């Protein structure tokens, strides 16, 4: 099962998106997240991660997606930051 299907399956069980599941996974580990968006609807979606909790089994499933030399940020996708 690829990671998108796993995150989507877990999200569907909670009435959330795969992105929300990803954010919640990090928050439940006390990791600060700063999602990037310029769209209001996406901002609201990003904030709607505090009304559900992932089970220990779900946390384990998601953690298994990690692999050695895995990419944390895909800079090619996110674009070059625009400073000042």
């Amino acid at each position: 099962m690829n990671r998108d299907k796993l995150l989507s399956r877990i999200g569907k069980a909670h009435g959330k998106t795969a992105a929300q599941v990803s954010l919640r996974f990090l928050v439940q580990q006390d990791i600060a997240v700063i999602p990037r968006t310029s769209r209001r609807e996406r901002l609201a979606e990003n904030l709607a991660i505090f009304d559900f909790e992932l089970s220990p089994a779900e946390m384990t499933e998601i953690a298994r997606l990690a692999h050695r030399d895995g990419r944390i940020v895909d800079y090619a996708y996110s674009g070059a930051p625009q400073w000042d």
Side-chain angles (χ1 to χ4, degrees):
M1 175 181 288
N2 76 30
R3 65 179 159 218
D4 295 327
K5 287 183 182 178
L6 172 66
L7 296 173
S8 293
R9 177 179 56 78
I10 292 171
K12 186 174 182 179
H14 292 280
K16 300 294 181 179
T17 66
Q20 288 171 308
V21 170
S22 298
L23 292 172
R24 182 65 202 186
F25 173 75
L26 296 171
V27 167
Q28 278 187 223
Q29 296 177 82
D30 295 324
I31 297 171
V33 295
I34 306 172
R36 174 183 152 178
T37 187
S38 60
R39 296 173 40 198
R40 285 181 181 249
E41 62 274 8
R42 187 75 70 214
L43 179 62
E45 182 180 290
N46 290 343
L47 291 172
I49 62 168
F50 298 102
D51 60 349
F52 76 106
E53 188 170 316
L54 298 171
S55 70
E58 291 168 332
M59 292 290 288
T60 298
E61 282 186 280
I62 296 168
R64 286 188 185 133
L65 295 174
H67 54 87
R68 185 174 173 85
D69 299 324
R71 189 177 293 263
I72 296 173
V73 176
D74 182 353
Y75 291 102
Y77 172 76
S78 62
Q82 307 241 342
W83 307 104
D84 297 345

